[in-house]
Amino acid sequence: MDDLITEFIAESREMLQALERGLVAWEREPEDRALLDEIFRFVHTVKGNCGFFDLPRLEALAHAAEDALGEARAGQRAIDRPLVDAVLAVIDRIGAMIETLAEGGQLGEGDDSALIAAFAAAPVAAEPAAEPQAAPVVEAAPTKAARARDPFRSVRLPTSLVDRVMSGVSDMILVRNELERQLRQSDGDPALLANFGRLSSLLSELQAAMARVRMQPIATLLDSYQRMIRDLAVELGKDVELEIESGQVELDREMIELLRDPLLHIIRNAIDHGIEAPAERRAAGKRPAGRLMLSARQTGNEIRIAILDDGRGIDGDKVVARAIERGVISAEDAARLDPAARLMLVCEPGLSTAAEVTAISGRGVGMDVVRASIERIGGKLRILSTPGEGCRIMLDVPLTLSIVPSITVEVGGQVFAVPRSFVREIVRNGRDVEVDRIGGMRHVRVRGELYPCLGLADLFGIAGETDPDRQTLVMLKMIDGSVFALCVDGIADHCDLVIRPVAPQVIATGLYVGVAQLNDGQPALMLDLHGVSQLGGLNTDRQARTAVQSEAQASEEARDLAAMILFAGLDGIARAVPMATVERLIDVPLDDIAHGGGFPHIVFEEAIVPLHGLVGDPAGESIDVLVLSQAGARIAYATAGAIDTADIDLATVTGGAGRRLVLHEGRSLELLDLATLAQARGLVAADDGWRRNG
Amino acid sequence: MNNDLLIARVAGERIAMAAVEVQSVIELGAIVPVPRAPGIIAGLATQRSRTLTVIDVALALDLPARPHPARFAVVVEIEGVGYALAVDAVEHVLPGEGEVQPVKMKLSPGWAHSAVGMIDTAVGTVMLVDLTRLVGIEPQQKAA
């Protein structure tokens, strides 16, 4: 009996899942016979099964829906909104009951009469429009639905088990490689070698199959929004036509879960703020039904997910006005933004242009979180919009979090991995390459184009190859379109690497994204190229305000820029401090500034932080204080407010180790040197990024 | 409750770890360095297909540097990440006797960061260390 009910639950769940797409499609094309049949078959099966299990509530519900749908199939009843709503409500209830049963619960006494009565209220068809068609026209949509109905046997497995099997396969491959080395050294028996070869290829197949186990069609994700979209549209009194185009694209399961919430948010926004009510659409000369399209396409090892609507679009002017009003951006900075960058301001924290805050969205805590989640998984978000015509939001995300096509590079005997997607080309140093030093930074000229060049050995403090003729340049194209050359000793291999997470202390360096095991069992760190380029002093910052600039603009600009915070000190001197070293801007009441121990200090996050820049007796009750940190040293700096941000050209830095100046819009600013200040207090600041920046 | 302790020797001192947290003890092979990582990260080592982050326990506790690298490592898993805690030797697994006594003296910063307290064992009184804090993200890493 238990087995039977488990079977029943599994079958019902499978059918329900297959129905998701069908239900919404059916509402749009109620005359579609294939879809109607599919829904009918579901309630019929449920009803039939209930008889065995003594589930009267479930049976009554299924029965009522079956009757109504039976009449509709026979053309005795019009398929109208009340009927569709009633059927959907019953299917929801059945789904909920099945989940209760699956959890081992009892259905108990409940009242379903309202749901059943809804069928009685639905009018009976009078007009011949709903006459059954003798031969229903089968078009594209029903074929899709038919495919979804194909019997699909599946098992549910805990992810931990899958991971264990995968790491078992990885272990086997390592042993195979070791064995291969040993066999090669001995004069192996040919028969033995042949068998080993077979085992080897079987293992590779197994590995490839295991990699697929983690993949899931993205259609399962996109389809899961159908019901939400339909319900939301009804709730908001909007008419939404949904199109989903996902092809055969597959994504890592984990990735699908990570995309679920950000996509949900974007879709809600599109329906709530984007698509207008039917009357408004008509007035604007549009079709009353708004179009929402979700599509996914694979390009290389990236998936592009697009959410497109033909609603009112995003008004760049309004976004900018709101951003200025909220203090997100200054008016001058805003004036310099190109249209794409203006739209990207909606991703700044605390900004929402919805005239009315609704329960659905528009609380202003949305797009910034969406962008952060997408960037966290190595993706990128872009917004295109024409006011009045609609909006297109594109997410480019990597195919998987775990398997990355890579090249491995060697420096001083140590191997590092680089994601192949960043590699534009590999150039032998010394031959067709001219080397220049410009502004203190090494540049290479490859076929007439000038690129900054970073030596991995120098950056990492490894003794590498010093003869330029024996070095190799890996030309890397960053997400913002800029290209730089990474100078290494040589290329070790091209391979697909399984990237595993690495300890948080290692991630915290900002230089690595994970670790992979090479064929010989040695670990190889995968470089975070963004972090590496920053360590080398290149400005490819994606977090700072510069990221708001469009790709084209960013790639045209000189790259020796550093994002800095500009402020006036209490002594009236304008100062600049690199954004990367600023931990927080806090408001400190004057009473909280203590002078014990011979130096002014404040207490910040339960630690004593020396306060610099305190001159005279500041007016007012409190002052703005910047908390700066670098290499473990933390200091606070008093400001007289007027805080702004700018990209400072590092080529303008003048002065020695003591006070240094930078140039910004024709004015000189004092570059705040944290290392010097920290040392003045006897705190040791390690020599790293800071000094290089200066 | 199991109060077995693993007693290890690091730079001439004994430390105790809760044995339940220890997965295995391995002999360290080649260590792949992690450039620009905090000093206590000696590098990466592998245990079959698993990559372990090697922690220089002596350095984490502010003990004097050894002339030669540690040979053994205690494998633990903290927040899903495997670590190999490099020590000079693993001496015993013993039950702790009595309660953990709070530390009354002033410890050097490294010890103060990781020490839980002193505990008596059959081989004498040893300092019990908290493994999460021992490998934990050090304040030095807050810098961008």
Side-chain angles (χ1 to χ4, degrees), chain A residues 597-600 610-613 633-637 657-659 672-686 690-691:
Chain A
F599 62 94
L611 178 66
H612 293 261
R634 223 186 211 172
I635 63 157
Y637 206 94
R659 304 212 148 182
L672 192 57
D673 193 330
L674 185 77
T676 324
L677 289 172
Q679 271 159 3
R681 289 285 166 222
L683 296 167
V684 180
W690 170 261
R691 294 217 181 119

Side-chain angles (χ1 to χ4, degrees), chain A residues 167 171 414 416 459-460 500 503-505 508-509 511-512 515 517 521-522 525 580 630-632, chain B residues 32-38 41 44 46 48-49 51 53 81 83 135-137 140-141 143-144:
Chain A
S167 83
D171 282 353
Q414 200 176 337
F416 297 94
L459 290 180
F460 281 181
R500 299 240 171 94
Q505 301 94 316
T509 60
L511 299 172
Y512 312 103
V515 65
Q517 211 161 12
Q522 283 302 305
L525 286 157
Q630 177 78 33
Chain B
V32 173
V34 181
R36 299 231 161 222
I41 295 185
L44 303 173
T46 49
R48 294 196 305 280
S49 67
T51 304
T53 304
V81 179
Y83 291 93
V135 306
I137 294 177
Q140 283 93 313
Q141 286 167 41

Side-chain angles (χ1 to χ4, degrees), chain B residues 19-25 47 50 52 74-77 82-83:
Chain B
V20 287
E21 297 189 54
V22 174
Q23 293 184 336
S24 56
V25 175
Q47 182 189 27
R50 188 174 177 212
L52 302 168
V74 178
V75 179
V76 298
E77 188 169 310
Y83 291 93

Side-chain angles (χ1 to χ4, degrees), chain A residues 8-9 11-13 15-16 19 39-47 50 55 57-66 69 86-102 107 112 115 119 227:
Chain A
F8 163 63
I9 290 166
E11 189 190 4
S12 307
R13 275 176 166 171
M15 287 178 84
L16 267 175
L19 263 184
I39 296 161
F40 179 79
R41 201 157 35 239
F42 171 73
V43 288
H44 179 76
T45 310
V46 171
K47 193 200 82 176
C50 290
L55 298 166
R57 275 182 69 194
L58 206 47
E59 188 175 0
L61 277 172
H63 190 92
E66 188 195 8
L69 288 169
V87 170
L88 293 183
V90 164
I91 289 175
D92 275 351
R93 181 71 61 92
I94 291 175
M97 286 178 170
I98 285 167
E99 290 310 309
T100 310
L101 291 174
L107 294 183
D112 304 314
L115 291 181
F119 287 112
R227 208 32 213 288

